[in-house]
Amino acid sequence: MKFEDDSQNLRARLRILQILIVLLISVLAVRLYVLQMMKGAYYAERAENQRIRLLPIPAPRGVIFDRNGKILVDSRPIYNVILSREDVKNLDLNQFVEPFSQGLDIDPDYLRERFDQIKTQPAFESIRIKENATSADQSWVEAHQLEYPQLRVEAQPQRRYPENGTLCHVLGYVGEISPEQLEQPKYKDKGYKPGDIIGREGVEAVYDQYLRGRDGYRKVVVDSRGHIQDIIEEVAPQPGQDMVTTIDLDLQLVAEEQLRNAPQKRGAIVVMDPNNGEVLAMASAPTFDPNLFSQRITSREGRAEYNALLKDPKTPLINRTIQGLYPPGSTWKIPMSVAGLQQGAITLKNSNLLCGGGIMVGNKFTRCMGNHGTPDIVSAITHSCDGYFYRLGLKMGVDGIMQMVDEFDLNKRTGVDLPHENVSQTPNLFKPMMEKRGQPWKDIDTVYASFGQVYDFATPIAMLRAVAGVGVGGKLYIPHLLKEFKAVGEPGTPDYRAAINFKPLNSDRPNPKDIEMPEDFHHTVVQGMWGVVNNGGTAARIKMADFEIAGKTGTAQVVGLGKDVGENKDHSWFVSYAPAWKPEISAIALIENSGFGSQFGAPAVRAVYDEYYRKTRGGEPPGTQIAQANKKTLPQRSASAAQAADKRQGE
């Protein structure tokens, strides 16, 4: 039997094994060094993040009140479904679209948009995937914790707005900050982050920095499934500052009712204190429900509702009081009268001008609504003589009209504290445009520019500011909606936020702007406006015996002669203040496509004054029953009246 010695082979194997063990230990040592020394801080932070989470506690926005302490907007607690960003950092989020949309009844397109948005945003703690979660939604999240430990339910305040669209264009609405806004310095520099709820329109947007509070947080310990095991620290949120607006809700409701009862249910009414610019009511119709944006926009039905608003030809999202541009018609005659006296085109002793039933300029005859002889300025205002103002405009010249526009700020924004205010369009805009195209400005153009048509388009709030300024002797106050922000916290503490009163958004703008208006000029123009209501003028039907209204009607053409029917009827204007000789309140109404200013604009303003009278005089206003009866049977414009009406060339 042959014996083979394999001891040397065994020693070689042992040597190889020893080398492999040494190499393995070296690799482990190097790896341990990398993990402990080079990347120790990184993995320690990651482990801590998985164990300790910082959960934000959203702060409720400030409550918004009317001037009398009535709540207009507040917040209520709701529950949101949150997806933890940390737990899905390396996952394809599209895998969650189908189960989440089915289980939580969320529009899958909305989920895809949300997931696409966060791909380009910095990492943040959580993603809000459903607001206002129902008890069924909360139960579904709880039942699927093993499958989707990334989901949790959090309480959060939700904005609640008045029903029926009341004050929707004033209050605006809130919504989640967009990726585009996050790139803008005004948001980035103030610490806004993805997922924040901000004001998107109205005073919610303009005063967002005061209405929004300061979020709190909870530092908690969680287990591997994300369940909270312990609370390490909790910092309570600080609510936003409560806002007191200048709005009088009672007057606002009356104004909105007048628009709902209008023939086309479209228009604008603004009510203001002419002595300081406080807006008492601001109504624009049609309206929309701002709760859509704070409560329903993430649902399939809510998105469909929003798309319907965007496509609505009646443009309910537009605030007609500050964005609507309309020919002002005869309301334009008030600043024209002041400017005519200032510029010397007429004098108090010699203000008579021919009416002539109209005027012939070249081969074009532009009619007046009647034949008023040779009226003075008071009578011309009272009876709204177009022929008078055609000739006044020619005496002033286009440069005089442009000077008037500049003096009354009709080529500027009023400065109201709302976003997206439009600038009125006047000869100051159109004349340079025409000359740039090689079209000379003609005398007939000056005629058209003198009575609020063709080259004159104004927002209701701009016309109210101009005319209300006349009522108080030449002081044009900036219209505004902020009365006060209430203080929050205790003085001297880090969280203290002081009370704030209104200041012009443009600090360089004078408030008020003073217009040179001698007392005799002021008295003369007010006398003419007083006569419109109280001395047989165009708005005699709304006369109040012991609350004398000074006003001016306006009938603004939309289309030419023969086409002004149905939705193409003239716009109805009425601008005013009361009492005439010591104004407390001013108001303007623009009722779209309804006819004469005396038919709808004036009665709408009278209804507001009735309510103001009740609130301030403590009794029923004189002539209320007659006014109400007339309102129910407003006369329609007859065919013969339409044919006799002034249908100007070029309109």
Side-chain angles (χ1 to χ4, degrees):
M1 181 176 181
K2 186 178 179 180
F3 178 78
E4 295 183 8
D5 185 5
D6 59 355
S7 59
Q8 288 185 342
N9 188 38
L10 180 60
R11 280 195 294 271
R13 292 179 181 177
L14 289 174
R15 181 62 56 86
I16 292 172
L17 183 60
Q18 289 172 348
I19 292 172
L20 291 174
I21 292 173
V22 170
L23 288 174
L24 181 61
I25 293 174
S26 299
V27 169
L28 291 174
V30 171
R31 181 61 176 165
L32 186 62
Y33 176 80
V34 170
L35 293 175
Q36 292 286 349
M37 305 301 295
M38 298 180 66
K39 294 187 176 182
Y42 167 78
Y43 285 107
E45 180 182 0
R46 186 170 178 179
E48 184 69 9
N49 286 340
Q50 291 178 347
R51 187 179 69 87
I52 297 178
R53 286 185 180 167
L54 206 63
L55 303 181
I57 305 176
R61 292 176 71 86
V63 178
I64 302 178
F65 298 90
D66 88 333
R67 66 188 302 110
N68 300 312
K70 297 177 181 177
I71 294 178
L72 301 176
V73 185
D74 62 2
S75 300
R76 63 175 181 176
I78 63 165
Y79 291 95
N80 295 336
V81 179
I82 303 298
L83 181 67
S84 172
R85 181 80 186 275
E86 181 68 27
D87 295 333
V88 297
K89 191 176 292 184
N90 298 317
L91 299 178
D92 179 9
L93 296 180
N94 288 324
Q95 67 179 295
F96 298 120
V97 170
E98 184 176 351
F100 289 178
S101 64
Q102 292 181 358
L104 297 171
D105 191 25
I106 307 174
D107 185 350
D109 292 334
Y110 170 77
L111 280 176
R112 292 188 185 94
E113 288 177 11
R114 296 285 291 157
F115 293 156
D116 286 342
Q117 286 174 1
I118 65 173
K119 292 178 182 178
T120 59
Q121 296 176 0
F124 60 98
E125 203 278 332
S126 60
I127 309 165
R128 185 185 304 106
I129 64 171
K130 184 167 186 179
E131 293 181 318
N132 205 14
T134 64
S135 56
D137 296 328
Q138 298 174 49
S139 299
W140 188 89
V141 171
E142 186 67 28
H144 291 77
Q145 276 294 294
L146 291 177
E147 298 170 75
Y148 308 113
Q150 308 92 343
L151 289 181
R152 68 175 185 272
V153 176
E154 276 186 1
Q156 181 169 336
Q158 182 188 72
R159 215 56 166 159
R160 182 169 53 183
Y161 297 99
E163 297 179 354
N164 303 319
T166 297
L167 279 164
C168 60
H169 296 99
V170 170
L171 300 171
Y173 51 84
V174 297
E176 187 173 338
I177 193 168
S178 68
E180 294 76 20
Q181 288 173 313
L182 284 168
E183 296 300 318
Q184 298 174 14
K186 70 175 182 178
Y187 294 107
K188 184 184 294 185
D189 297 345
K190 293 179 181 178
Y192 288 80
K193 61 185 184 300
D196 279 351
I197 299 298
I198 64 169
R200 301 298 294 267
E201 289 294 341
V203 295
E204 289 272 31
V206 173
Y207 294 114
D208 181 73
Q209 62 177 318
Y210 305 108
L211 288 167
R212 64 185 286 108
R214 297 172 183 170
D215 291 347
Y217 65 86
R218 284 189 302 162
K219 185 180 286 187
V220 300
V221 178
V222 298
D223 60 18
S224 59
R225 295 181 179 179
H227 293 151
I228 297 174
Q229 302 298 307
D230 191 19
I231 298 176
I232 300 175
E233 181 184 7
E234 183 167 341
V235 174
Q238 183 188 64
Q241 291 180 265
D242 291 342
M243 177 182 183
V244 179
T245 68
T246 61
I247 293 292
D248 185 314
L249 184 58
D250 296 323
L251 299 183
Q252 178 72 28
L253 294 175
V254 171
E256 293 187 3
E257 181 183 13
Q258 295 304 304
L259 295 180
R260 282 194 299 270
N261 294 336
Q264 306 297 337
K265 305 188 185 305
R266 299 192 309 270
I269 296 176
V270 187
V271 186
M272 186 175 75
D273 184 339
N275 300 289
N276 54 26
E278 291 185 355
V279 176
L280 306 178
M282 179 179 281
S284 175
T287 60
F288 65 93
D289 182 7
N291 291 298
L292 163 67
F293 299 92
S294 63
Q295 300 177 19
R296 306 189 298 276
I297 196 64
T298 60
S299 68
R300 186 181 290 105
E301 295 78 11
R303 289 158 70 85
E305 185 179 345
Y306 176 59
N307 287 330
L309 288 174
L310 292 176
K311 296 176 182 178
D312 191 333
K314 295 182 179 179
T315 59
L317 294 175
I318 296 296
N319 183 352
R320 285 162 162 78
T321 65
I322 66 169
Q323 294 175 279
L325 291 171
Y326 306 91
S330 293
T331 61
W332 191 254
K333 294 171 183 175
I334 302 307
M336 281 286 293
S337 300
V338 175
L341 290 167
Q342 289 174 328
Q343 297 172 22
I346 53 175
T347 65
L348 294 177
K349 291 183 178 180
N350 185 16
S351 67
N352 298 78
L353 294 175
L354 177 66
C355 169
I359 192 171
M360 177 70 77
V361 178
N363 61 353
K364 294 183 179 179
F365 182 74
T366 306
R367 298 179 183 177
C368 181
M369 297 291 282
N371 195 324
H372 303 92
T374 309
D376 61 8
I377 184 64
V378 172
S379 181
I381 293 173
T382 295
H383 299 289
S384 199
C385 176
D386 291 337
Y388 183 99
F389 285 93
Y390 300 156
R391 289 169 174 82
L392 177 60
L394 289 172
K395 288 174 71 68
M396 292 170 59
V398 66
D399 290 338
I401 295 175
M402 292 170 64
Q403 181 181 334
M404 175 207 76
V405 165
D406 187 61
E407 182 180 33
F408 281 90
D409 280 355
L410 291 169
N411 57 344
K412 301 180 181 68
R413 293 180 176 86
T414 65
V416 64
D417 44 352
L418 287 175
H420 317 307
E421 181 185 5
N422 275 332
V423 180
S424 299
Q425 298 176 359
T426 67
N428 302 47
L429 170 69
F430 291 112
K431 184 173 182 287
M433 288 174 56
M434 292 172 62
E435 292 173 343
K436 189 175 182 180
R437 295 196 299 261
Q439 296 177 247
W441 185 272
K442 302 176 182 178
D443 285 345
I444 190 63
D445 298 317
T446 301
V447 168
Y448 295 152
S450 67
F451 70 102
Q453 293 279 172
V454 185
Y455 299 109
D456 308 321
F457 297 89
T459 61
I461 199 167
M463 288 306 303
L464 177 61
R465 180 175 184 246
V467 176
V470 173
V472 293
K475 293 185 179 296
L476 271 63
Y477 288 92
I478 295 176
H480 59 277
L481 293 150
L482 171 63
K483 194 169 183 67
E484 178 192 18
F485 273 108
K486 296 182 179 180
V488 172
E490 294 296 327
T493 63
D495 292 334
Y496 178 68
R497 300 169 74 178
I500 300 169
N501 296 316
F502 171 75
K503 294 180 181 179
L505 299 181
N506 180 357
S507 59
D508 297 329
R509 190 165 186 173
N511 187 34
K513 177 181 180 179
D514 288 314
I515 293 176
E516 184 181 349
M517 190 180 302
E519 177 60 31
D520 49 0
F521 288 8
H522 171 248
H523 184 276
T524 298
V525 176
V526 174
Q527 184 72 34
M529 295 182 66
W530 174 87
V532 169
V533 179
N534 301 280
N535 192 26
T538 53
R541 63 186 305 167
I542 68 164
K543 179 179 179 180
M544 296 175 69
D546 58 350
F547 191 76
E548 295 181 333
I549 301 169
K552 185 69 194 77
T553 55
T555 305
Q557 282 185 235
V558 179
V559 294
L561 179 64
K563 300 178 181 178
D564 58 332
V565 295
E567 293 198 2
N568 288 324
K569 291 187 73 172
D570 301 337
H571 295 321
S572 175
W573 285 91
F574 186 69
V575 62
S576 65
Y577 43 84
W581 303 105
K582 192 176 181 181
E584 302 171 15
I585 184 172
S586 59
I588 192 168
L590 177 279
I591 312 298
E592 291 186 14
N593 307 118
S594 56
F596 288 129
S598 60
Q599 288 183 318
F600 293 96
V605 168
R606 168 62 196 264
V608 174
Y609 286 161
D610 283 348
E611 182 63 23
Y612 180 80
Y613 188 97
R614 295 184 187 100
K615 291 172 68 71
T616 58
R617 271 65 175 173
E620 194 65 18
T624 305
Q625 299 303 320
I626 296 175
Q628 290 177 347
N630 288 341
K631 184 176 70 172
K632 295 177 182 177
T633 58
L634 292 173
Q636 298 299 311
R637 191 177 186 182
S638 67
S640 59
Q643 292 171 0
D646 179 6
K647 297 304 179 184
R648 292 94 181 176
Q649 300 290 331
E651 293 185 353

